[in-house]
Amino acid sequence: MMSVSAIRRRALVALAALSLMAGVVSVPAIAQEIKPVDTSRLVTVGGAVTEIVFALGYGDKVAARDITSFYPDEVNKLPSVGYMRALSAEGVLSVNPSAILMIQGSGPKETIDVLSKASVPLVSIPEGYDRDAILAKIKAVGAALGADAKAAELSAKVAADVDAAIADAAKIEEGKRKRVLFVMTVQNGKIMAAGDRTAAHGIIALAGGINAVSDFNGYKPLNDEAVINAKPDVILLMDTGNPMGVSVDDVLANPAIALTPAGQTKTVVPLGGSALLFGPRSAEAVRKVYTTLYGG
């Protein structure tokens, strides 16, 4: 039986991914010139941002992080300023940060407005769900830390790893690509699925799949007809690690799902939230999804 701590950890992993989805669509960040900040007491918000800071060798400068930041392990020993989409200005400023590095889409707006007017530098790191977006995050964090050379080195390493991971996917003929439906939740019998401009769409594309419902942006509930017409070969399911969350059985029990190719073959695969962070470990996530779709 999974321990309570293990369940909680897996739920936080999923929460990190869900936090990237909650904004409905990914809005391009406003261009800004990022200048080096005082790195003595950093607050990092967003799992990918925190991971990049550690990967660049500045982990010992992080004074606090948000609860969607869970990697590497030592991050979990740091104080938390709360959930990235429900931050309070008082909570963030209470740890006396020298600077705040925050993934685009954090909030709420009222908190960001207060933090923007505070004397502490606030750096917005651009969000995005493709190969170039990962590299842009690394470059932005590096600029804020005054570590451009280290960021360029990490960027080159990650780019090579991602390029190697997507190489096999790129060879798949268009007619043989699997149609994939990503299910976030099942609410009142309705499938909540991922459309275009989402982290799920991004990982499916990199892994050589076709998002079965890319005719809308963000996440929305689908009626039975839309589910059936999507004709997914594979269903990816958000695995929260919470026994009360949606399960494979819940999805297969849906009458509309039962009429799809994936439902008939019972091809429903739980996917951990860390696969959707679009950070330094994205190549690992691409390989996992590719294997799920096409085998080893």
Side-chain angles (χ1 to χ4, degrees):
M1 180 179 295
M2 189 180 297
S3 67
V4 173
S5 61
I7 290 174
R8 181 176 181 275
R9 182 176 177 82
R10 289 179 65 187
L12 286 177
V13 172
L15 178 59
L18 288 172
S19 71
L20 298 178
M21 303 173 189
V24 181
V25 296
S26 175
V27 180
I30 297 174
Q32 62 170 325
E33 180 184 357
I34 298 179
K35 299 179 180 180
V37 299
D38 179 354
T39 63
S40 58
R41 286 186 61 82
L42 299 172
V43 168
T44 57
V45 177
V49 172
T50 302
E51 186 173 339
I52 292 168
V53 170
F54 273 77
L56 292 175
Y58 285 76
D60 61 339
K61 304 297 185 182
V62 179
R65 43 83 200 192
D66 74 309
I67 64 170
T68 73
S69 299
F70 54 84
Y71 185 89
D73 287 341
E74 54 261 42
V75 169
N76 299 293
K77 300 175 183 178
L78 296 172
S80 168
V81 295
Y83 174 50
M84 61 172 283
R85 292 194 183 277
L87 300 170
S88 73
E90 294 80 5
V92 174
L93 296 174
S94 69
V95 299
N96 192 30
S98 62
I100 305 162
L101 274 59
M102 181 178 292
I103 193 69
Q104 177 199 0
S106 300
K109 182 180 182 301
E110 294 76 15
T111 294
I112 305 305
D113 289 343
V114 172
L115 292 176
S116 297
K117 296 174 183 177
S119 59
V120 179
L122 173 64
V123 181
S124 177
I125 305 301
E127 182 58 285
Y129 309 126
D130 58 23
R131 171 193 181 277
D132 290 344
I134 300 168
L135 306 184
K137 290 180 192 178
I138 296 173
K139 179 179 179 181
V141 172
L145 299 178
D148 293 323
K150 287 184 177 180
E153 183 179 347
L154 177 61
S155 217
K157 180 180 178 181
V158 170
D161 199 16
V162 171
D163 288 343
I166 65 178
D168 287 338
K171 298 174 185 176
I172 300 172
E173 297 176 17
E174 192 67 28
K176 295 182 179 179
R177 292 181 182 268
K178 298 289 183 70
R179 293 178 61 82
V180 184
L181 180 68
F182 187 95
V183 176
M184 184 166 69
T185 61
V186 178
Q187 300 175 347
N188 300 319
K190 294 253 183 166
I191 298 293
M192 178 71 75
D196 197 3
R197 299 179 69 183
T198 60
H201 180 93
I203 199 70
I204 290 168
L206 288 177
I210 297 173
N211 186 354
V213 288
S214 59
D215 57 341
F216 60 88
N217 292 333
Y219 288 75
K220 79 172 190 178
L222 304 180
N223 60 33
D224 289 350
E225 182 180 6
V227 172
I228 295 169
N229 289 339
K231 300 178 181 178
D233 302 300
V234 177
I235 294 171
L236 295 180
L237 175 67
M238 173 57 68
D239 179 13
T240 65
N242 184 345
M244 299 302 292
V246 63
S247 68
V248 172
D249 289 341
D250 291 333
V251 174
L252 289 174
N254 184 283
I257 290 291
L259 297 176
T260 67
Q264 291 168 6
T265 60
K266 301 187 186 304
T267 310
V268 180
V269 182
L271 182 66
S274 61
L276 304 180
L277 290 182
F278 282 81
R281 293 175 297 147
S282 288
E284 176 184 329
V286 170
R287 290 186 180 98
K288 179 177 180 179
V289 176
Y290 175 84
T291 300
T292 296
L293 299 183
Y294 303 106

